[in-house]
Amino acid sequence: MAKRWSWVAVGVLVAGVWAACSDGNDNAGKPASTPKHSTATKPSTTKPPTTKPSATSTKPWYDDYDPAHFASDVRRYAKQAGINPQLLMAILYNESYKPHDPKFERQWAEVDSDPAFGIANMHKPAFDETKRGRDFANRKWEELPDNPALAIQAAAWHLHDLAKRLPSKRADLYTKDELLALGYNAGGGNMRIFARGRKAGSQAQSYVDRLHDNWAKSAEALKS
């Protein structure tokens, strides 16, 4: 769910690094405008755990962030949502371009009209739509910077919902996982257009290219 960041002075030293690595798609992480059929699951009282640093860690998780550190959460929530765990892990690598220090994210949100939160870079409308009827329905988007497990759970179910919106007949231009990645980055409406044979633009295609670059690394990370 990357987007182009127009830098202003926010007093954060790492801001320049973030801007240099951003993807530049303002549609990323937003729910499609076309209504979809409900795919909600029955709510339960179980809440996702807050992922915490290892007891032997000397730094906060976000100072030494690697999606591989959350492999168990990726496997767990991918299985629950019925999606490919390698796809979910690769998307986390795609979205790891920006600092995930919770304080940094909240500072940036003060100057960004449409910020994305958490390690999966999810926008508030996408999170609020995805959580409906699910066992994290009572959780808030504002929790994502502090809770990697919740961010992974929401991303998994968002991919699940995107998969439900794929047309039954698709062109051969992109695989299912590539289309879901495109949907995650560019929105469900664009995903359906690409599924019918339209080639993605340069920004969306760069997201798929990075997915390919991260694919083998994601498989290895899931072994941890």
Side-chain angles (χ1 to χ4, degrees):
M1 297 187 176
K3 60 186 289 186
R4 186 182 305 279
W5 304 97
S6 301
W7 290 101
V8 297
V10 293
V12 184
L13 295 178
V14 294
V17 176
W18 184 2
C21 298
S22 62
D23 175 67
N25 193 320
D26 288 335
N27 293 323
K30 300 178 183 177
S33 57
T34 306
K36 67 176 185 293
H37 297 294
S38 172
T39 58
T41 57
K42 184 178 180 181
S44 73
T45 57
T46 303
K47 291 184 178 181
T50 300
T51 306
K52 298 180 180 180
S54 166
T56 60
S57 175
T58 59
K59 296 181 180 180
W61 65 265
Y62 47 82
D63 281 352
D64 185 27
Y65 174 61
D66 183 336
H69 296 165
F70 302 98
S72 61
D73 289 322
V74 170
R75 291 191 296 266
R76 174 186 178 187
Y77 292 121
K79 182 177 181 179
Q80 287 183 5
I83 62 163
N84 183 354
Q86 191 172 357
L87 169 64
L88 180 56
M89 180 65 81
I91 283 177
L92 293 182
Y93 274 110
N94 272 27
E95 301 293 345
S96 65
Y97 68 91
K98 96 175 187 185
H100 288 299
D101 181 332
K103 182 178 179 180
F104 182 96
E105 289 196 354
R106 291 190 171 94
Q107 285 178 328
W108 182 252
E110 293 177 2
V111 297
D112 187 346
S113 62
D114 187 23
F117 272 176
I119 63 174
N121 287 339
M122 185 170 279
H123 291 268
K124 189 175 189 300
F127 178 81
D128 288 343
E129 181 177 306
T130 300
K131 74 176 186 177
R132 292 173 187 165
R134 303 218 157 98
D135 63 2
F136 58 103
N138 63 335
R139 309 305 291 268
K140 296 181 178 180
W141 172 75
E142 290 79 5
E143 297 178 59
L144 293 180
D146 304 292
N147 195 326
L150 178 61
I152 293 169
Q153 183 180 30
W157 283 105
H158 185 46
L159 290 167
H160 167 93
D161 292 346
L162 286 169
K164 292 291 186 181
R165 299 195 63 229
L166 282 171
S168 56
K169 293 183 178 180
R170 302 191 295 268
D172 295 330
L173 187 59
Y174 296 105
T175 67
K176 179 181 178 181
D177 283 340
E178 288 171 338
L179 286 169
L180 293 180
L182 284 166
Y184 195 89
N185 178 249
N190 284 324
M191 176 192 71
R192 290 174 63 86
I193 292 173
F194 302 145
R196 294 189 180 100
R198 176 82 61 85
K199 184 173 175 58
S202 60
Q203 293 177 350
Q205 184 60 47
S206 72
Y207 197 82
V208 175
D209 293 341
R210 293 205 309 276
L211 191 84
H212 294 163
D213 293 340
N214 290 323
W215 199 249
K217 178 167 59 176
S218 298
E220 190 64 27
L222 287 167
K223 298 176 183 179
S224 60

